[in-house]
Amino acid sequence: MIGLGALALSLVLPSCRPAPAAEAAEAAPSVLDEEMAVLLRWDVGAVVSDSAVALFSLDSCFRSSPLPDAVFARMEGRSYQEGCPVGRDELRYLRMLHRNDSLRPQLGEMVANRIIADELLEAFRTMYEGGYPIHRMVLIDDYGADDGLSMAANNTSCFCYRRAGHQRNLSRHSWGMAVDINPLQNPYITRFGVEPGEGADYAYRRDSLAAVCPQLITTESLPYRMLHDRFGFQWGGRWMHSRDYQHFQK
Ligand SMILES: [Zn+2]
């Protein structure tokens, strides 16, 4: 692979540099080179620097494609099972960058319906640029397509063929038309309790909480402003008989 980090530095640094600066110039490209390799491979979950993202380009960090075979292999028998109401060709694999809880760029992924793929790319890019933190963004298949486990891990995800919580009908997640964001700070609350249980502290949505918890989804937050206000998703935080603060659907 071409050392893109080294290439960028060589463009910035004069070629005839005095000896003392040479050591620093040698150390920096190797870190950047490694980060560029991480971005090129799109190692989901990896954390990179803002310099690497700038060099790689933000456009390259928000991409949609048909489901690669390797991704579909992870989904089969887990989030994608017989009886699924959407075909593989109706789904898209999104690779998206997010700011993690430390506000560092972290590599994420999502499977969603092709109908909303572009909207999600724009919404999550705006969240990234606006500094809305997202703890983790990997396929629910990494948790055996178990929504409880994915929520407990505070994972942000979209497609999963399953029933709606405590109901018989299929969830909009089954079509890849719903997204759950930061479930820990935005739990699902029904008469059966709070899910995930670890999110109980965030069940009572007092104003003082929003001031200390940037992951909280409120009508002022970037997820709400993008997905609800801009793209017309319904928000579970306004449902009549339950509250699903993490959930947006079409
Ligand atoms: Zn949901």
Side-chain angles (χ1 to χ4, degrees), residues 118-138:
D118 287 343
E119 294 176 352
L120 291 182
L121 286 180
E122 187 176 331
F124 280 94
R125 181 168 175 162
T126 302
M127 290 179 218
Y128 175 82
E129 293 180 307
Y132 174 79
I134 292 175
H135 177 73
R136 187 165 178 75
M137 190 193 292
V138 303

Side-chain angles (χ1 to χ4, degrees), residues 53-224:
V53 171
L55 197 57
F56 190 64
S57 96
L58 208 48
D59 284 346
S60 303
C61 295
F62 291 88
R63 288 276 171 88
S64 163
S65 72
L67 296 187
D69 288 343
V71 169
F72 192 62
R74 287 164 64 196
M75 297 166 59
E76 267 190 305
R78 297 182 185 85
S79 66
Y80 195 96
Q81 300 200 15
E82 206 174 309
C84 183
V86 286
R88 173 181 172 176
D89 61 339
E90 293 174 80
L91 296 172
R92 290 290 177 271
Y93 180 67
L94 312 181
R95 64 184 210 187
M96 301 195 286
L97 206 57
H98 60 95
R99 294 266 174 205
N100 65 16
D101 294 326
S102 310
L103 297 182
R104 296 194 61 196
Q106 187 164 326
L107 280 60
E109 62 176 354
M110 189 176 281
V111 169
N113 195 293
R114 64 184 177 190
I115 295 170
I116 60 168
D118 287 343
E119 294 176 352
L120 291 182
L121 286 180
E122 187 176 331
F124 280 94
R125 181 168 175 162
T126 302
M127 290 179 218
Y128 175 82
E129 293 180 307
Y132 174 79
I134 292 175
H135 177 73
R136 187 165 178 75
M137 190 193 292
V138 303
L139 300 192
I140 198 167
D141 306 281
D142 285 9
Y143 302 96
D146 183 317
D147 190 40
L149 292 177
S150 179
M151 281 196 288
N154 203 12
N155 185 44
T156 291
S157 69
C158 177
F159 172 77
C160 187
Y161 172 40
R162 61 178 167 84
R163 287 179 304 158
H166 309 292
Q167 295 171 49
R168 285 194 175 173
N169 55 315
L170 285 179
S171 155
R172 294 298 290 166
H173 289 284
S174 302
W175 284 265
M177 293 292 283
V179 59
D180 291 334
I181 301 173
N182 285 330
L184 181 72
Q185 292 92 355
N186 303 287
Y188 175 44
I189 303 162
T190 66
R191 61 195 171 93
F192 299 104
V194 179
E195 295 173 58
E198 295 84 348
D201 288 348
Y202 302 93
Y204 172 44
R205 314 294 279 186
R206 53 215 182 271
D207 286 345
S208 58
L209 197 56
V212 296
C213 178
Q215 296 90 348
L216 213 70
I217 296 174
T218 67
T219 54
E220 304 298 315
S221 66
L222 273 177
Y224 184 89

